[in-house]
Short mmCIF file of all heavy atoms in Angstrom, two decimals:
data_model
loop_
_atom_site.label_atom_id
_atom_site.label_comp_id
_atom_site.label_asym_id
_atom_site.label_seq_id
_atom_site.Cartn_x
_atom_site.Cartn_y
_atom_site.Cartn_z
N ASP A 79 -18.12 -8.81 -24.80
CA ASP A 79 -17.61 -8.03 -25.88
C ASP A 79 -18.61 -6.92 -26.12
O ASP A 79 -19.79 -7.20 -26.45
CB ASP A 79 -17.44 -8.87 -27.15
CG ASP A 79 -16.33 -9.86 -27.06
OD1 ASP A 79 -16.56 -10.98 -26.55
OD2 ASP A 79 -15.22 -9.52 -27.41
N ILE A 80 -18.23 -5.67 -25.97
CA ILE A 80 -19.18 -4.58 -26.03
C ILE A 80 -18.98 -3.68 -27.23
O ILE A 80 -17.86 -3.60 -27.77
CB ILE A 80 -19.18 -3.75 -24.75
CG1 ILE A 80 -17.85 -3.04 -24.54
CG2 ILE A 80 -19.52 -4.62 -23.53
CD1 ILE A 80 -17.86 -2.01 -23.43
N ASP A 81 -20.06 -3.06 -27.66
CA ASP A 81 -20.03 -2.03 -28.70
C ASP A 81 -21.09 -1.02 -28.40
O ASP A 81 -21.71 -1.02 -27.35
CB ASP A 81 -20.18 -2.65 -30.09
CG ASP A 81 -21.49 -3.44 -30.24
OD1 ASP A 81 -22.51 -3.06 -29.57
OD2 ASP A 81 -21.52 -4.42 -30.98
N ALA A 82 -21.32 -0.08 -29.35
CA ALA A 82 -22.27 1.01 -29.14
C ALA A 82 -23.69 0.54 -28.88
O ALA A 82 -24.49 1.26 -28.33
CB ALA A 82 -22.19 1.95 -30.29
N LEU A 83 -24.00 -0.70 -29.29
CA LEU A 83 -25.38 -1.19 -29.15
C LEU A 83 -25.55 -2.13 -27.95
O LEU A 83 -26.66 -2.58 -27.66
CB LEU A 83 -25.78 -1.96 -30.42
CG LEU A 83 -25.78 -1.14 -31.73
CD1 LEU A 83 -26.16 -2.02 -32.90
CD2 LEU A 83 -26.68 0.08 -31.59
N THR A 84 -24.48 -2.39 -27.19
CA THR A 84 -24.61 -3.27 -26.00
C THR A 84 -25.48 -2.62 -24.95
O THR A 84 -25.24 -1.47 -24.55
CB THR A 84 -23.23 -3.51 -25.43
OG1 THR A 84 -22.37 -4.12 -26.37
CG2 THR A 84 -23.32 -4.47 -24.21
N PRO A 85 -26.55 -3.26 -24.51
CA PRO A 85 -27.46 -2.63 -23.53
C PRO A 85 -26.82 -2.55 -22.13
O PRO A 85 -26.07 -3.47 -21.72
CB PRO A 85 -28.66 -3.55 -23.53
CG PRO A 85 -28.13 -4.88 -23.94
CD PRO A 85 -27.03 -4.61 -24.94
N ASP A 86 -27.10 -1.49 -21.43
CA ASP A 86 -26.78 -1.44 -20.00
C ASP A 86 -27.48 -2.59 -19.31
O ASP A 86 -28.59 -3.01 -19.71
CB ASP A 86 -27.20 -0.11 -19.38
CG ASP A 86 -26.36 1.05 -19.80
OD1 ASP A 86 -25.23 0.83 -20.30
OD2 ASP A 86 -26.79 2.23 -19.63
N GLY A 87 -26.86 -3.11 -18.27
CA GLY A 87 -27.44 -4.22 -17.55
C GLY A 87 -27.01 -5.59 -18.09
O GLY A 87 -27.46 -6.63 -17.58
N THR A 88 -26.16 -5.60 -19.11
CA THR A 88 -25.60 -6.86 -19.60
C THR A 88 -24.84 -7.52 -18.47
O THR A 88 -24.00 -6.89 -17.83
CB THR A 88 -24.62 -6.63 -20.79
OG1 THR A 88 -25.40 -6.07 -21.88
CG2 THR A 88 -23.95 -7.90 -21.23
N GLU A 89 -25.12 -8.79 -18.20
CA GLU A 89 -24.52 -9.48 -17.06
C GLU A 89 -23.11 -9.91 -17.39
O GLU A 89 -22.88 -10.78 -18.23
CB GLU A 89 -25.34 -10.67 -16.61
CG GLU A 89 -24.85 -11.34 -15.31
CD GLU A 89 -25.79 -12.39 -14.80
OE1 GLU A 89 -26.99 -12.06 -14.55
OE2 GLU A 89 -25.33 -13.54 -14.61
N ALA A 90 -22.13 -9.37 -16.69
CA ALA A 90 -20.70 -9.67 -16.88
C ALA A 90 -19.94 -8.93 -15.82
O ALA A 90 -20.40 -7.95 -15.24
CB ALA A 90 -20.20 -9.28 -18.25
N ASP A 91 -18.72 -9.42 -15.57
CA ASP A 91 -17.84 -8.74 -14.59
C ASP A 91 -16.58 -8.24 -15.27
O ASP A 91 -15.66 -7.82 -14.59
CB ASP A 91 -17.51 -9.68 -13.42
CG ASP A 91 -18.67 -9.70 -12.42
OD1 ASP A 91 -18.67 -8.86 -11.52
OD2 ASP A 91 -19.58 -10.56 -12.62
N ALA A 92 -16.54 -8.27 -16.60
CA ALA A 92 -15.42 -7.74 -17.38
C ALA A 92 -15.93 -7.47 -18.76
O ALA A 92 -16.91 -8.10 -19.22
CB ALA A 92 -14.24 -8.71 -17.38
N CYS A 93 -15.28 -6.57 -19.47
CA CYS A 93 -15.68 -6.28 -20.81
C CYS A 93 -14.47 -5.79 -21.64
O CYS A 93 -13.49 -5.31 -21.07
CB CYS A 93 -16.82 -5.23 -20.86
SG CYS A 93 -16.46 -3.72 -19.98
N VAL A 94 -14.61 -5.90 -22.95
CA VAL A 94 -13.54 -5.55 -23.85
C VAL A 94 -14.12 -4.97 -25.11
O VAL A 94 -15.21 -5.36 -25.54
CB VAL A 94 -12.64 -6.78 -24.16
CG1 VAL A 94 -13.45 -7.89 -24.80
CG2 VAL A 94 -11.47 -6.40 -25.04
#
Side-chain angles (χ1 to χ4, degrees):
D79 289 89
I80 64 171
D81 57 30
L83 300 179
T84 302
D86 287 343
T88 296
E89 186 172 304
D91 281 271
C93 55
V94 59

